[in-house]
């Protein structure tokens, strides 16, 4: 199943894979444990700081 959300707490809790899309392109694709705790993409890091 694919779900799209801006609710990062929900996404982190229910997903087995997380994808960060920015300007219509996949910028990061990883397991939630890595994507949410150690993002490689700078825009994702900034976004997560503002919402988590």
């Amino acid at each position: 199943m694919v779900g799209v959300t801006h609710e990062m707490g929900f996404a982190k809790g229910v997903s087995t894979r997380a994808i960060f899309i920015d300007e219509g392109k996949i910028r990061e694709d990883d397991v939630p444990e890595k994507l949410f705790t150690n993002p490689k993409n700078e825009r994702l890091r900034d976004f997560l700081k503002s919402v988590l």
Side-chain angles (χ1 to χ4, degrees):
M1 177 192 324
V2 174
V4 178
T5 184
H6 286 94
E7 298 293 331
M8 295 300 101
F10 171 75
K12 185 177 179 180
V14 301
S15 63
T16 57
R17 178 176 167 194
I19 298 172
F20 175 66
I21 299 174
D22 180 38
E23 296 182 350
K25 296 183 181 179
I26 295 174
R27 304 294 184 180
E28 195 155 341
D29 177 359
D30 213 332
V31 294
E33 295 81 14
K34 290 182 182 177
L35 188 131
F36 287 100
T37 60
N38 191 25
K40 297 170 185 75
N41 183 278
E42 183 178 350
R43 285 182 53 98
L44 176 55
R45 281 193 302 270
D46 292 342
F47 175 70
L48 291 174
K49 284 179 188 176
S50 71
V51 298
L52 290 179

